[in-house]
Amino acid sequence: MSSQALENLKILFQDCPEVLRMLDLRELDQSNLTDQQLREEMKKRKLYPEPINFYATGRTGAGKTSLGNSLLGSGIMESTGRQDCTSGIQYFAMASNLRYFDLPGGGSNEEFENINRVALLIPQLEDEKEVNEFIVFDFSDHAATGQVSSQKVTVTEWQSVENQKYVSPDLILYVLAPHGQFLREDKKYLRALLKSQKARRGENRVIFALNIHRNRDGSLKPTPQNIEDARKGITEVYQEIYSGTPPIVKIDSLRGEGINQITELICEILPPEKIGNMRQVLREELKQFAEAERSRRYREALIYIASRLATYTVDTQFGNQSLLKEAYAAICSYGIKIFREEDVIAQAEKELADEVSKVAEESKQKRQKVITEKENITERREEKQTKITSVPEYDWEKITDTETDYIEIEQTRLVTDSIRRKNPVARFLFGEYKKQEVLKNETIMKPIKRTVERLEKRLVGMREEREEIGTGKYYDVVVGQRDKEVGKKALQGGYDVIEDLLAIGLGIELADAQKDLRTCFETIVKSGRVQVQMMISRYKEQINQLVESSPPDQAEDVIIRILEKVLIS
Ligand SMILES: Nc1nc2c(ncn2[C@@H]2O[C@H](COP(=O)(O)OP(=O)(O)OP(=O)(O)O)[C@@H](O)[C@H]2O)c(=O)[nH]1
Ligand SMILES: [Mg+2]
């Protein structure tokens, strides 16, 4: 793994100059820049839409130049404490695209007040020496070059339509130090200012700053009454020209206090397209802002890369490399370069190649779809023959029959018996036996008829009985179907690739910079993953659905929006 991976990844985003810009490390590597360099960087990058011309006006000594120095973060603009200190227009452009115009004050030196009036297109003081030209000092490049450029400008030039396009005030800050009271001269000047502004544009564009000076011991210079009087005086004049209450804030221009409230008012008064990020820039310390901005841009780049990879199948090749491996390596390299010290970078990148490949391999496995085919389930069976046998079929029939029973009966009857004659003569004459009737008792069997029922088995027909007999021959028969895995198909990266890629990216961003990347990489990715899951796991279904059923560029756009919503607050 090397920075090459990051360069390679850019090829994937040739169609997105915005992403290429994000991947340009110079855009993000601001860690070693000084505040001034940061300002310069921001100016170059035009983070903020339109320049805002912000004029400071008010009585001499009120604190206009001091406020400008506070904003600049230096004491470069002269503020001596002498009355009528500022004699020309002092100008500088801030990182936020706010251009500060510090004017000479009013209420003392008439010539200076006239310069002030000329700058704001207020009629000059009558009966005083008319101003025809003045000097504009530009402090914008002072911090970087030590140079202050100056230019003599005539009133005609300054007030020309062409020049006014660039310098006409978007907002005017009327600074008043209440301890010096709101005097008649101040009223006169303020009235003239508001009138000329009202004539130029209907709505009010003047903000009032009560600059509360402090004594050396820290106590406040103005009394509460002074402050109250100043508010009252300003409000009276304001209401002669506008309705409603004037926007008044309390500031301490030396300490830079109250700048936030001024910012708030600027943001309320100006149209949003003029303001851009100014609210944020002015509110935060520039360094802090730069860091937040760095994280935002880093995440934005991760989001773009993750959203695009989600729509590519996980087996996509990039040259002869796996796209996933290459992209994960690029993210790793990107994160290290942004969040790690110079000396760790090269070593870590080399040694992390395997770890990163492992994560890419895991992503790949997660997004494989098993391809199946229907397969027959067969059974081996023996061929059978049918043997048919005829089998008699019987039924039981009820039969009624008569049966003869015999009973014994005793009876007496006359029977002729042959009796042997006892007398031999008789025997001779009449035969040996003589017939003689005798009564004889005898037992006879008398038949009696009775009806009986019985079941008789009768043949009712013939039935065919079949019997399967094995033939010894076998054949295969299909008895069902089952799914058989025939291969795997790589799916689009979807949610899993997003999660893995962001786990690496956020892991590196959020890890303690002291933690050794090489030994803790797994843990770092793991805790990155926990963070990522908390933020995006609820979109898993939606993301997978998108990559599977929408055209890639549409899916990518929607995913970008989803991720931006949760990752960049
Ligand atoms: N204690 C304190 N002193 C301040 C404050 N603002 C300005 N001063 C002092 O007041 C004096 C005049 O301040 P400047 O910022 O130069 O005033 P200015 O409005 O630019 O005055 P001109 O350029 O003459 O119109 C300086 O000595 C400052 O140090 C403040 O908020 N607190
Ligand atoms: Mg000044």
Side-chain angles (χ1 to χ4, degrees), residues 60-66 79 81 85-86 105 211 213-214 252-254:
T60 178
K64 304 178 285 296
T65 305
S66 309
S79 164
C85 172
T86 307
N211 188 20
H213 290 213
R214 285 174 187 271
D252 182 331
S253 63
L254 276 188

Side-chain angles (χ1 to χ4, degrees), residues 107-333:
S108 173
N109 181 315
E110 292 80 6
E111 190 189 342
F112 286 1
E113 178 165 336
N114 271 345
I115 296 175
N116 174 302
R117 287 173 172 250
V118 161
L120 291 171
L121 313 187
I122 307 170
Q124 294 195 41
L125 291 168
E126 282 168 23
D127 309 327
E128 303 298 341
K129 189 170 171 260
E130 192 180 318
V131 167
N132 294 312
E133 58 181 25
F134 52 89
I135 300 174
V136 178
F137 300 93
D138 184 350
F139 289 83
S140 304
D141 293 328
H142 181 266
T145 62
Q147 306 280 314
V148 178
S149 57
S150 62
Q151 199 185 345
K152 202 175 262 183
V153 182
T154 66
V155 173
T156 324
E157 281 167 349
W158 182 263
Q159 296 190 341
S160 70
V161 176
E162 200 46 41
N163 189 53
Q164 284 298 307
K165 275 189 204 156
Y166 296 100
V167 300
S168 79
D170 293 298
L171 277 166
I172 299 168
L173 186 75
Y174 179 87
V175 186
L176 176 78
H179 69 276
Q181 298 183 315
F182 187 61
L183 303 172
R184 195 161 54 85
E185 285 304 309
D186 300 313
K187 280 190 187 167
K188 223 168 118 188
Y189 171 82
L190 182 58
R191 196 172 289 123
L193 170 71
L194 293 181
K195 270 190 183 160
S196 105
Q197 280 301 307
K198 173 111 188 214
R200 221 155 285 286
R201 58 166 107 232
E203 75 274 31
N204 171 46
R205 290 288 173 98
V206 181
I207 295 172
F208 300 88
L210 302 183
N211 188 20
I212 313 295
H213 290 213
R214 285 174 187 271
N215 297 310
R216 282 186 190 281
D217 62 1
S219 60
L220 302 183
K221 273 193 184 171
T223 63
Q225 192 56 48
N226 287 156
I227 297 173
E228 190 46 44
D229 289 347
R231 274 185 191 280
K232 214 168 137 222
I234 288 171
T235 307
E236 274 169 17
V237 177
Y238 182 85
Q239 289 177 344
E240 286 171 20
I241 291 134
Y242 295 103
S243 55
T245 44
I248 303 178
V249 286
K250 277 202 247 174
I251 63 166
D252 182 331
S253 63
L254 276 188
R255 296 169 176 223
E257 286 170 15
I259 292 175
N260 282 354
Q261 287 97 304
I262 294 178
T263 310
E264 289 300 327
L265 282 177
I266 295 174
C267 296
E268 271 167 36
I269 291 172
L270 292 181
E273 64 273 16
K274 269 245 166 196
I275 296 164
N277 285 339
M278 202 189 67
R279 188 191 295 255
Q280 201 179 351
V281 176
L282 288 185
R283 256 197 209 149
E284 294 183 37
E285 284 289 310
L286 210 49
K287 264 244 158 68
Q288 238 171 309
F289 172 79
E291 263 174 40
E293 182 65 9
R294 180 177 70 171
S295 163
R296 191 188 68 77
R297 281 170 181 240
Y298 173 71
R299 287 182 180 205
E300 193 76 56
L302 294 189
I303 287 171
Y304 275 87
I305 296 164
S307 304
R308 179 152 295 191
L309 286 187
T311 66
Y312 281 67
T313 55
V314 289
D315 61 350
T316 306
Q317 288 291 110
F318 194 70
N320 53 4
Q321 277 286 346
S322 145
L323 172 64
L324 275 191
K325 270 187 206 168
E326 198 69 356
Y328 288 8
I331 290 305
C332 199
S333 156

Side-chain angles (χ1 to χ4, degrees), residues 62-123:
K64 304 178 285 296
T65 305
S66 309
L67 178 65
N69 281 334
S70 284
L71 287 173
L72 258 184
S74 77
I76 182 60
M77 294 196 298
E78 199 182 358
S79 164
T80 56
R82 272 185 286 115
Q83 207 162 304
D84 303 322
C85 172
T86 307
S87 58
I89 298 180
Q90 306 193 113
Y91 158 86
F92 63 89
M94 289 172 64
S96 55
N97 236 350
L98 188 102
R99 296 164 168 178
Y100 194 86
F101 291 85
D102 176 33
L103 302 181
S108 173
N109 181 315
E110 292 80 6
E111 190 189 342
F112 286 1
E113 178 165 336
N114 271 345
I115 296 175
N116 174 302
R117 287 173 172 250
V118 161
L120 291 171
L121 313 187
I122 307 170

